Amino acid sequence: MPLGFTPTSSRKEREDKLLLRLGKVKHTYFLCVLNQPFNVRFPINQRYNSLNSIDKHKILRKFLLKLMKGSFEELWVIIIDDAEYSDQESLQIFDVLLKKDLVFFVLSVGRKLGTEYHTYFNHLERGKIYELTGIDKWFHAGLACQILNVNGLPAELEKLIQERSFGNPGWIESYLVSLLQIGSIEIINISKREANIKGYVLPPLSMLKRFVSRTTLGSSDGDYRTDRWQMYRASFKDSMISLLEKDLDTEQKSHLSIDNEETVIAVCNISESFTYEDVHPEITMDVMILKLFDSLTPLDQLLLKCASVIGETVNRHMLESLMTITSKRDIGLAVSKLFEIRVFGCAIGDFSKTTGPIIFIKNVRNPSSEVEVFCSCIGLTVPSK
């Protein structure tokens, strides 16, 4: 991290690092202007107290700009989620952070507050505003099948998602996983012929799998990149991809040839307990979370309570040490069950998506964290005895 701050940094360490990044300071008696933003305690003198609020604000901007110039030496992409909750004091100085070309900010502004987000005009001088629209209804079924790892889903469920999700992929995932957790939907295996007879929606294979040839990834020596851009190469379409569509179509057809009417596929099935309640989606989520926790066994509930005490990232061996009265096998079975219903997830990403070494979420990291997580989820089995 540019400033070198960590969650465990003491106040004295933060002060020393700020002085290091600032370098030579002409007016050291104004360092106290950094006390509130960085939770430090530089001495406050009468000279600073005599200033009005406008002058104090100008001094703060100068110090922040000096910090920016001394801290960033390579390109950084900083993503700020839920920016609508930002306080006004931070927004008033945010344009200072935009003056450094080595920092690229991405701010997401939602509509959770039900009010307009106050945008300062000085932010727009070097920025662009893009309004993200919902995913087209044509792709809802394919997205739902990817989330549940199935090949088809009932037409009623597809219609429900189209009516309530407004094309929000996060809402679709949360809703489907919640339904799966509380038993309102289940995964069954049937033949493709039976799925067609029962009226299941079966999205095309192109919506469920990604077909990538070596040439698509630019495997030639001249196109090699050290920033691992190749992993995203098939996530968008350009003229190069269009030229290779014939090769991809041929590869798709080779896969489709074995997908005959008698092929057994996994589909999502609506259970008898499922009801189409016409309520607000957010309220439905809260109710589902409560119903899910109540439906868990006492051991599952105890395990989740212990895990919440440890933190967001939980080491299984630490969990076993905390639950000494429970056998390791029972803990393993409970953890396995919570993984299956997606209450637990792999700390470095969704390991079910790929067995390769590259996982998307590993490139999006918290720079203040010093912990390196190693994954051993793939192939994890619990002995029968």
Side-chain angles (χ1 to χ4, degrees), residues 17-296:
K17 290 177 180 178
L18 285 173
L19 291 174
L20 178 64
R21 295 296 183 184
L22 286 171
K24 185 178 179 180
V25 179
K26 184 177 181 181
H27 303 293
T28 56
Y29 42 82
F30 286 148
L31 285 172
C32 55
V33 75
L34 300 174
N35 288 353
Q36 182 178 357
F38 297 100
N39 191 22
V40 291
R41 289 182 180 175
F42 290 113
I44 302 176
N45 53 66
Q46 183 61 31
R47 193 165 186 172
Y48 175 77
N49 286 333
S50 63
L51 298 175
N52 57 41
S53 59
I54 297 177
D55 291 335
K56 290 179 180 179
H57 184 72
K58 291 180 179 179
I59 293 173
L60 175 60
R61 292 174 64 90
K62 290 181 179 179
F63 271 102
L64 290 177
L65 184 59
K66 189 175 179 62
L67 274 176
M68 288 287 294
K69 293 180 178 178
S71 299
F72 292 94
E73 299 177 352
E74 58 182 3
L75 178 64
W76 275 72
V77 178
I78 300 178
I79 304 173
I80 303 177
D81 195 15
D82 296 330
E84 68 269 22
Y85 294 110
S86 303
D87 58 277
Q88 294 301 314
E89 291 82 1
S90 299
L91 291 176
Q92 289 173 359
I93 60 174
F94 188 74
D95 63 299
V96 177
L97 309 181
L98 302 178
K99 296 181 181 297
K100 186 67 174 176
D101 292 336
L102 288 177
V103 186
F104 184 85
F105 285 96
V106 179
L107 280 70
S108 70
V109 180
R111 307 179 187 274
K112 299 176 183 177
L113 298 182
T115 57
E116 291 186 359
Y117 176 71
H118 183 70
T119 303
Y120 288 85
F121 289 103
N122 52 3
H123 296 178
L124 302 180
E125 293 178 359
R126 305 191 65 185
K128 297 288 185 180
I129 296 179
Y130 296 96
E131 184 172 357
L132 300 181
T133 58
I135 297 176
D136 191 275
K137 292 183 178 181
W138 170 254
F139 302 103
H140 288 187
L143 176 61
C145 288
Q146 289 186 39
I147 294 171
L148 297 174
N149 196 24
V150 296
N151 295 89
L153 73 162
E156 299 87 346
L157 184 58
E158 181 194 30
K159 181 180 179 182
L160 183 65
I161 293 173
Q162 292 176 347
E163 292 177 348
R164 295 190 179 183
S165 68
F166 300 105
N168 185 336
W171 188 94
I172 295 174
E173 180 179 19
S174 299
Y175 185 67
L176 290 174
V177 172
S178 299
L179 290 179
L180 184 66
Q181 290 170 341
I182 64 176
S184 293
I185 58 176
E186 56 186 357
I187 308 301
I188 61 174
N189 295 315
I190 60 177
S191 66
K192 186 176 179 182
R193 183 190 304 277
E194 185 179 356
N196 286 322
I197 294 175
K198 292 185 176 181
Y200 281 91
V201 178
L202 303 178
L205 196 60
S206 58
M207 289 189 182
L208 306 180
K209 293 183 179 181
R210 180 180 298 175
F211 300 94
V212 183
S213 64
R214 292 185 179 273
T215 52
T216 307
L217 297 178
S219 57
S220 62
D221 296 337
D223 294 332
Y224 179 75
R225 297 171 59 132
T226 58
D227 56 5
R228 298 163 71 188
W229 172 253
Q230 286 81 0
M231 67 180 290
Y232 310 107
R233 191 65 184 86
S235 299
F236 62 93
K237 184 176 180 179
D238 60 8
S239 57
M240 176 183 176
I241 299 295
S242 300
L243 293 174
L244 297 168
E245 280 186 340
K246 290 184 178 180
D247 294 336
L248 298 181
D249 290 339
T250 304
E251 190 173 353
Q252 288 185 20
K253 290 177 181 178
S254 65
H255 287 271
L256 291 170
S257 61
I258 61 173
D259 190 19
N260 53 46
E261 290 296 312
E262 301 304 324
T263 301
V264 177
I265 60 175
V267 296
C268 166
N269 184 50
I270 297 178
S271 63
E272 296 180 356
S273 61
F274 183 81
T275 56
Y276 296 89
E277 298 175 348
D278 187 18
V279 295
H280 194 277
E282 294 300 327
I283 299 178
T284 303
M285 290 298 176
D286 295 337
V287 173
M288 287 181 173
I289 292 173
L290 294 175
K291 289 174 65 177
L292 168 63
F293 190 80
D294 291 339
S295 67
L296 298 176

